[in-house]
Amino acid sequence: MSNRRTGSGTSGGAPSKSASGRRGQKPAIGRPGEKAASVKAPKPALAKAQSPKPPSNRAERTAERREAIIEAALDEFISRGFTATRIDDVARRAGVAKGTIYLHFKDKESMFEELIRTALVPLIGRLHAPPPIGGSVRDAVEAFARTFIQEVASTRRGDIVRLIVAEGPRFPSIADFYYREVVSRGLAGMRALIELAVSRGEIQQKNLARFPQILVAPAIIAVIWQSLFSRHAPLDATEMFRVHLDLIFGERRTT
């Protein structure tokens, strides 16, 4: 029995599947299923990963629509002033229905507040960053002034400031919002820098910390001058700020 099984397994050269192997033996349980699973199982996961995400797309469209409304509002406020600007005009310029405006803003005032919050508040936030290690307070103030002049005084952000100066007295709530979100934060940041400069000996006049408005006065002058008098007498606001800082910190030594 043993020899016969051995001979049948080795006769005829290369081994071949016997009839019993093809018919009598049952295939291993799960092999066909495993093969199919190895090909098909990843497909649902792959399809899920590649499928679009409607909630995210809706969020993006909502954000884009809100941004378009803010841009349109800025255009209207600049061209008409705060008083004459109407929600209908903003909606028409933004290319949306009037009702869409009210999905994002309750009224014209809240739109203007959003302009302040998005265009000016992040810039003022930079004042609260300490000077870089090894850097002087004057360098930090001068860098901020340069950024303010480039990004506010000579851009449409400056138009927002000019609108507040012009119409703030008639709309105290807007002036209050601007003071709370921009002015008070800016003054606090400047006061902290002045106190640091005094402690380092960079500024000799200790009372300057009581009046941080003095330090930032040229920035306000630049904003107002740009809209009223620049066509008559262009102002180099950056150079004016350097001279102003020389008066406060002392002239820079040149070697």
Side-chain angles (χ1 to χ4, degrees):
M1 293 288 291
S2 173
N3 291 337
R4 190 160 45 248
R5 281 196 301 270
T6 304
S8 62
T10 57
S11 61
S16 61
K17 291 183 180 179
S18 63
S20 62
R22 290 191 302 270
R23 300 176 185 174
Q25 294 182 357
K26 294 182 179 180
I29 296 174
R31 286 182 183 172
E34 289 174 354
K35 184 176 182 181
S38 64
V39 175
K40 296 179 180 179
K43 288 185 178 180
L46 184 61
K48 183 178 181 181
Q50 293 179 343
S51 62
K53 298 178 180 179
S56 177
N57 289 341
R58 283 198 298 271
E60 290 176 3
R61 288 195 297 270
T62 300
E64 290 173 358
R65 193 174 296 116
R66 183 183 179 88
E67 185 177 349
I69 292 171
I70 293 172
E71 286 292 324
L74 178 57
D75 291 336
E76 289 295 320
F77 286 133
I78 291 173
S79 61
R80 298 174 183 269
F82 183 83
T83 304
T85 294
R86 303 181 308 163
I87 296 293
D88 302 77
D89 299 324
V90 174
R92 188 179 303 109
R93 187 183 288 267
V96 300
K98 182 178 178 180
T100 303
I101 301 286
Y102 292 107
L103 294 176
H104 298 272
F105 305 101
K106 65 179 182 178
D107 51 25
K108 182 172 62 174
E109 187 173 305
S110 64
M111 278 194 295
F112 195 82
E113 291 176 353
E114 183 67 10
L115 286 173
I116 296 172
R117 187 180 293 110
T118 57
L120 298 174
V121 171
L123 181 65
I124 297 301
R126 300 181 193 178
L127 273 178
H128 294 272
I133 297 175
S136 68
V137 173
R138 172 173 178 152
D139 289 338
V141 174
E142 195 165 341
F144 172 78
R146 185 167 52 251
T147 299
F148 184 90
I149 291 167
Q150 292 173 350
E151 297 186 13
V152 177
S154 56
T155 69
R156 298 209 304 169
R157 288 187 178 97
D159 292 324
I160 299 174
V161 179
R162 288 184 279 271
L163 274 170
I164 295 168
V165 172
E167 305 207 38
R170 285 185 291 172
F171 300 94
S173 59
I174 290 178
D176 292 345
F177 181 85
Y178 182 71
Y179 179 83
R180 183 174 64 253
E181 296 294 325
V182 178
V183 175
S184 63
R185 295 182 183 185
L187 292 178
M190 271 307 166
R191 184 177 290 110
L193 287 175
I194 292 170
E195 291 172 349
L196 177 60
V198 169
S199 69
R200 290 180 175 183
E202 291 184 52
I203 292 178
Q204 302 303 317
Q205 178 53 263
K206 297 180 180 180
N207 287 328
L208 184 62
R210 295 173 53 199
F211 305 103
Q213 295 91 338
I214 294 174
L215 193 58
V216 297
I220 304 303
I221 293 173
V223 170
I224 297 174
W225 192 278
Q226 179 67 23
S227 63
L228 294 177
F229 310 120
S230 62
R231 67 183 182 276
H232 303 296
L235 177 67
D236 188 340
T238 302
E239 186 61 27
M240 178 181 68
F241 218 107
R242 288 198 187 100
V243 173
H244 179 69
L245 294 181
D246 282 343
L247 296 174
I248 294 173
F249 289 89
E251 293 188 28
R252 288 185 182 274
R253 294 181 181 179
T254 58
T255 56

